[in-house]
Amino acid sequence: APASSTSLAFLSALGALGIGKVAVLATYPEETSRAFTSFLAEGGVAIDRLNWLDAPSGPAAAAFAKERFIDGAAKLGVPKGGALLLPDTAVPSLDLIAPLEARLGCPVLTANQVTLWEGARLAGITKGAGPGRLFKETSA
């Protein structure tokens, strides 16, 4: 059976969208945030901007207010032709995608979103609704 991971799903989703540079707003501490961006760079993705919110745990990250992500993303900015990545499966992020895409004018990829998309892609499900430009502009 095919298999993947959330990190690999980010690379697959970026490839499907034709995006090679990103801004990353991570909830993780600095060391973990940099490890994630190193993985992306090894996969051929240029990291234009990075900010970490230094959450000590998944539950702490999940408790962040929605505004913290929206304000953090607006301050971080996104490179022209790029995407914003929010890489933490602990964060209930699906409802953040639409407001962030509207505000930033670019694709926003979250850990839970790309994981769902990748699972559908690997299962051969090519039609279906999902959050954000990823589901609207690509076939899973």
Side-chain angles (χ1 to χ4, degrees):
S4 190
S5 69
T6 299
S7 294
L8 290 172
F10 272 109
L11 292 177
S12 293
L14 289 166
L17 289 166
I19 294 173
K21 57 186 168 184
V22 298
V24 177
L25 180 60
T27 58
Y28 314 126
E30 179 181 4
E31 183 178 353
T32 306
S33 299
R34 292 199 183 278
F36 176 68
T37 57
S38 292
F39 169 82
L40 293 173
E42 288 176 22
V45 177
I47 312 307
D48 188 74
R49 299 166 193 174
L50 168 64
N51 193 14
W52 52 90
L53 300 176
D54 217 16
S57 66
F64 285 165
K66 182 178 182 177
E67 291 72 32
R68 186 158 186 191
F69 294 102
I70 293 171
D71 293 343
K75 288 177 187 170
L76 181 63
V78 178
K80 185 176 181 173
L84 174 69
L85 276 55
L86 299 173
D88 191 340
T89 56
V91 175
S93 59
L94 297 180
D95 65 337
L96 290 170
I97 297 167
L100 282 171
E101 286 186 343
R103 182 164 185 178
L104 300 173
C106 70
V108 172
L109 303 178
T110 73
N112 295 322
Q113 172 203 36
V114 299
T115 301
L116 292 169
W117 179 86
E118 180 83 334
R121 185 184 73 77
L122 292 174
I125 300 168
T126 59
K127 303 246 187 242
R133 291 188 186 182
L134 176 62
F135 280 89
K136 290 175 182 65
E137 296 178 6
T138 68
S139 295

